[in-house]
């Protein structure tokens, strides 16, 4: 049969089982027009289920997020878990998230599992918390986090409340491949569905407000949830802890799946924090906080005179949170971060006699770093803050992190200081660990593979004027870590570069760090570090060929 006929036949089979009138209309039009390029884009590949679950553009076909794709994923999960197991389901406010959550519940209960669904679009950390709180066997959240509006995703948690890791992802993926037509799946029973109430959110808020937050509460906060689901839960947590209500950016307060005021709903992207900065200046705020749309990440800024804002890097916030947690916990403790984050955490841990762990990128690995974990973070503004009782959320938690940062800032304010003064203190104690990121977003993923091949074939002898004293191909595994697609260069003079493809976006990411001793004034050291990072960035861009 000719390739065109095969493609049209495959699209027709998909159309016949699709329960969604929106994607049925989309696909019918493509078939009628015989738009082979569009059909091939949707059917020439498929979204692959991995440790991050599924994530992709909304639309018809196996290479898109849609009701058929989601029902197949739910059926695969049900097959791996087996009848009688309990799954908690959460969702954000993106397009189709509520529909995908209901489809998941229908498929799971149809397979004889018990499903509990959160009462509204809620932060991802509430779902991760609920899995353990309810003693469930797994959890599912429908979210694409900080991806563009056209995307959605499907993330799976295991019974310990953390994201799945191999080989569970491969088992679910193989089970998905065995699923037949979704219109032949049993739905809505014999398993049971429980509609959870607001008490699960109250339990979460009680858990995060039990973190070590000190006593100071005098703090004025400007806040943005970036059109996501964080505002209500964060506000509830702040009030329960005794803080004033954070003042939210009105244009971004309520959930909106189109994210109309930002180019990308990611607080790290240029321009995303402009409205929050303007609000902070108007309020004379002490602190700026932001969550990404599913509120599992937290961005932090300090207002400056004249209306400017100093946004802290994820590594800077990680260092402040780490020292706070370590000084407010006791016993045999572990703190952990990833191979692309700053080396500062290791210095802090060593100074306090606390164990330090380093993992592959992703919170699924940080949470598995070892027993006694009281704090974990990754440079992409993701943090999990704990106490002597452990971690309330075994995943990154933008609400708990925001609350703890506010407590640190309020304590500093009581002493007439800010977070910037605390950063200077750390620079004097441990050396200035300056980091930056260089990233390249592409439409063609082969460009990323080509760039990695170029670096492997012709590795740089120097970067930014510093000789490369050691090059590690992380594909070979390193220090007992599983293999991953990445390259790490250790440079003369206490500097480091890591290059890796993003696991969730079409980006090549480069993580740069220089450590500058502070022998005189911190601002001079920061200026030197900026020059050295700029030099590294320029040199690396040339080597990558972008």
């Amino acid at each position: 049969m000719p390739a065109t006929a095969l493609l049209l036949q495959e699209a027709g089979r998909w159309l016949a089982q699709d329960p969604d009138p929106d994607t049925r209309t989309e696909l019918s039009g493509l078939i009628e027009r015989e738009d082979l390029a569009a059909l091939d884009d949707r059917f020439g590949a498929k979204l692959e289920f991995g440790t991050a679950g599924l994530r992709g553009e909304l639309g018809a076909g196996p290479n898109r997020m849609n009701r058929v794709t989601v029902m197949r994923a739910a059926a695969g999960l049900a097959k791996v878990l087996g009848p009688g197991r309990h799954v908690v389901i959460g969702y954000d406010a993106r397009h189709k998230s509520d529909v995908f959550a209901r489809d998941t519940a229908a498929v799971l209960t149809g397979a004889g599992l018990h499903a509990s669904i959160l009462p509204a679009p809620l932060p991802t950390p509430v779902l991760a918390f609920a899995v353990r709180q309810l003693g469930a066997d797994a959890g599912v959240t429908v979210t694409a986090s900080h991806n563009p509006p056209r995307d959605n995703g499907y993330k799976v948690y295991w019974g310990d409340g953390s994201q799945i890791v191999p080989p569970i992802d491969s088992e679910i993926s193989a089970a998905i491949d065995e699923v037949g037509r979704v219109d032949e799946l049993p739905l809505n029973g014999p398993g049971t569905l429980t509609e959870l109430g607001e008490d699960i959110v109250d339990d979460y808020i009680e858990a995060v407000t039990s973190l070590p937050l000190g006593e100071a509460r005098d703090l004025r906060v400007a806040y943005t949830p970036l059109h996501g689901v964080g505002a209500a839960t964060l506000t509830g947590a702040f009030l329960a802890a005794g803080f004033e209500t954070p003042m939210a950016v009105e244009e971004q307060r309520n959930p909106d799946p189109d994210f109309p005021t930002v180019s990308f709903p990611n607080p790290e992207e240029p321009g995303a924090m402009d409205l929050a900065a303007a609000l902070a200046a108007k309020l004379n705020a002490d602190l700026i906080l932001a969550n990404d749309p599913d509120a599992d990440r937290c961005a932090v800024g300090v207002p400056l005179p004249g209306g400017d804002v100093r946004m802290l890097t994820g590594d800077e916030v990680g260092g402040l949170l780490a020292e706070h947690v370590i000084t407010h916990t006791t016993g045999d403790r572990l703190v952990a971060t990833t191979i692309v984050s700053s080396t500062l955490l290791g210095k802090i841990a060593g100074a306090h006699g606390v164990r330090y762990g380093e993992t592959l990128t992703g919170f699924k690995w940080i949470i598995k770093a070892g027993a006694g974990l009281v704090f974990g973070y990754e440079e992409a503004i993701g943090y999990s803050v704990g106490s002597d009782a452990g971690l309330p959320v075994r995943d990154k938690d933008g609400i708990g992190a925001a609350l703890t940062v506010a407590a640190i800032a309020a304590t500093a304010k009581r002493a007439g200081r800010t977070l910037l003064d605390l950063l200077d203190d750390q620079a004097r104690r441990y050396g200035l660990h300056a980091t930056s990121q260089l990233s390249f977003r592409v439409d063609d993923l082969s460009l990323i593979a080509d760039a990695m091949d170029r670096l492997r074939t012709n590795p740089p002898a120097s970067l930014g004027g510093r000789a490369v004293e050691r090059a590690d191909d992380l594909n070979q595994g390193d220090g007992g870590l599983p293999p991953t697609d990445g390259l790490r260069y250790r440079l003369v003079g206490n500097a480091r570069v890591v290059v890796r493809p993003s696991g969730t976006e079409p980006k090549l990411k480069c993580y740069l760090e220089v450590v500058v001793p502070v022998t005189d004034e911190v601002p001079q050291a920061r200026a030197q570090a900026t020059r050295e990072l700029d030099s590294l960035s320029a040199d690396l861009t040339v080597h990558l060929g972008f």
Side-chain angles (χ1 to χ4, degrees):
M1 185 180 293
T4 298
L6 285 171
L7 183 59
L8 291 170
Q9 185 181 77
E10 185 179 359
R13 283 197 298 266
W14 187 279
L15 179 64
Q17 63 176 316
D18 189 350
D20 191 329
D22 294 333
T23 46
R24 285 180 60 84
T25 298
E26 171 197 339
L27 189 52
S28 295
L30 296 176
I31 293 172
E32 289 172 9
R33 296 191 302 272
E34 293 194 7
D35 189 337
L36 301 183
L39 288 170
D40 185 62
D41 186 39
R42 288 158 175 78
F43 289 89
K46 68 172 183 175
L47 297 180
E48 295 292 343
F49 187 94
T51 54
L54 298 166
R55 192 176 295 190
E57 186 176 347
L58 290 163
N63 202 31
R64 296 288 190 272
M65 284 296 299
N66 51 66
R67 294 182 66 184
V68 177
T69 299
V70 164
M71 292 172 76
R72 288 173 55 82
L77 175 61
K79 176 73 177 299
V80 171
L81 287 170
R85 298 299 183 94
H86 179 197
V87 181
V88 186
I89 304 165
Y91 56 100
D92 66 9
R94 284 178 175 267
H95 292 294
K96 303 283 186 182
S97 286
D98 56 341
V99 177
F100 294 165
R102 291 289 170 182
D103 282 339
T104 298
V107 171
L108 292 175
T109 56
L113 286 79
H114 172 53
S116 296
I117 192 164
L118 294 181
L122 285 166
T124 292
V126 176
L127 180 280
F129 169 83
V131 171
R132 282 201 301 165
Q133 179 73 2
L134 299 175
D137 299 289
V140 169
T141 188
V142 182
T143 180
S145 190
H146 53 277
N147 275 39
R150 65 179 181 272
D151 289 356
N152 213 326
Y154 195 86
K155 189 187 296 186
V156 175
Y157 292 77
W158 222 232
D160 64 352
S162 66
Q163 296 177 49
I164 58 171
V165 295
I168 298 170
D169 60 323
S170 298
E171 294 172 9
I172 297 173
S173 180
I176 292 171
D177 289 340
E178 295 176 1
V179 175
R181 292 172 60 103
V182 300
D183 57 349
E184 297 175 355
L185 291 171
L187 303 177
N188 299 313
T192 58
L193 173 63
T194 299
E195 305 274 354
L196 296 171
E198 289 294 329
D199 54 329
I200 191 66
V201 183
D202 296 339
D203 290 345
Y204 165 80
I205 289 175
E206 181 180 354
V208 296
T209 53
S210 298
L211 292 168
L213 301 175
E215 298 178 354
R217 293 294 184 268
D218 178 20
L219 193 74
R220 182 172 298 174
V221 176
Y223 168 70
T224 176
L226 288 180
H227 302 292
V229 297
T233 306
L234 180 134
T235 300
F238 268 67
L239 291 177
F243 287 97
E244 292 181 11
T245 301
M247 301 303 293
V249 173
E250 189 60 37
E251 301 94 322
Q252 299 171 335
R253 177 197 301 271
N254 296 320
D256 187 329
D258 294 318
F259 309 109
T261 66
V262 293
S263 299
F264 286 95
N266 179 349
E268 294 181 293
E269 292 283 348
M273 297 297 294
D274 288 353
L275 292 178
L279 178 62
K282 180 180 178 181
L283 297 175
N284 193 27
D286 303 304
L287 184 69
I288 299 174
L289 295 171
N291 290 128
D292 64 339
D294 70 328
D296 65 347
R297 303 194 307 152
C298 174
V300 179
V302 176
L304 301 175
D308 290 336
V309 174
R310 162 76 152 82
M311 293 302 300
L312 276 62
T313 68
D315 286 315
E316 289 174 329
V317 176
L320 294 178
L321 286 171
E323 199 135 38
H324 174 84
V325 171
I326 289 171
T327 55
H328 286 82
T329 52
T330 59
D332 182 24
R333 292 150 291 161
L334 171 69
V335 295
T337 189
T338 72
I339 56 174
V340 302
S341 301
S342 173
T343 56
L344 173 62
L345 183 58
K347 301 277 185 64
I348 294 173
H352 290 276
V354 171
R355 288 181 293 121
Y356 167 72
E358 196 170 276
T359 73
L360 294 182
T361 305
F363 249 85
K364 58 183 176 284
W365 299 114
I366 293 173
I367 292 301
K368 300 286 195 296
L373 184 66
V374 293
F375 175 72
Y377 95 94
E378 58 185 0
E379 49 70 42
I381 61 174
Y383 320 93
S384 185
V385 180
S387 65
D388 282 335
L391 299 172
V393 177
R394 289 177 58 80
D395 194 19
K396 51 186 179 288
D397 177 8
I399 308 293
L403 198 59
T404 309
V405 168
I408 296 170
T411 301
K413 181 183 177 182
R414 177 184 280 182
R417 312 182 83 214
T418 72
L419 298 183
L420 302 183
D421 296 307
L422 302 186
L423 290 176
D424 286 351
D425 291 346
Q426 287 192 329
R428 294 184 184 97
R429 280 197 296 270
Y430 307 114
L432 176 63
H433 290 64
T435 59
S436 68
Q437 188 179 131
L438 181 66
S439 63
F440 303 92
R441 184 181 292 271
V442 300
D443 294 322
D444 181 358
L445 289 176
S446 68
L447 296 176
I448 292 176
D450 291 345
M452 295 297 290
D453 286 343
R454 279 193 295 274
L455 287 179
R456 287 188 168 102
T457 304
N458 298 298
S462 66
L463 289 168
R466 298 170 182 258
V468 175
E469 58 182 10
R470 177 177 167 182
D472 301 316
D473 188 340
L474 302 179
N475 252 340
Q476 310 302 316
D478 179 73
L481 298 177
T484 187
D485 188 9
L487 297 164
R488 179 171 56 193
Y489 303 101
R490 301 187 188 277
L491 312 179
V492 169
N494 214 354
R496 186 207 62 189
V497 172
V498 180
V499 183
R500 60 176 282 273
S502 170
T504 57
E505 299 177 271
K507 282 183 176 181
L508 182 67
K509 292 186 173 183
C510 311
Y511 307 85
L512 319 178
E513 180 180 41
V514 297
V515 182
V516 178
V518 179
T519 56
D520 193 2
E521 293 298 318
V522 176
Q524 295 175 359
R526 292 195 187 282
Q528 178 184 338
T530 298
R531 291 192 297 270
E532 294 182 2
L533 288 171
D534 287 345
S535 179
L536 280 176
S537 179
D539 210 358
L540 187 58
T541 301
V542 172
H543 282 282
L544 288 169
F546 280 102

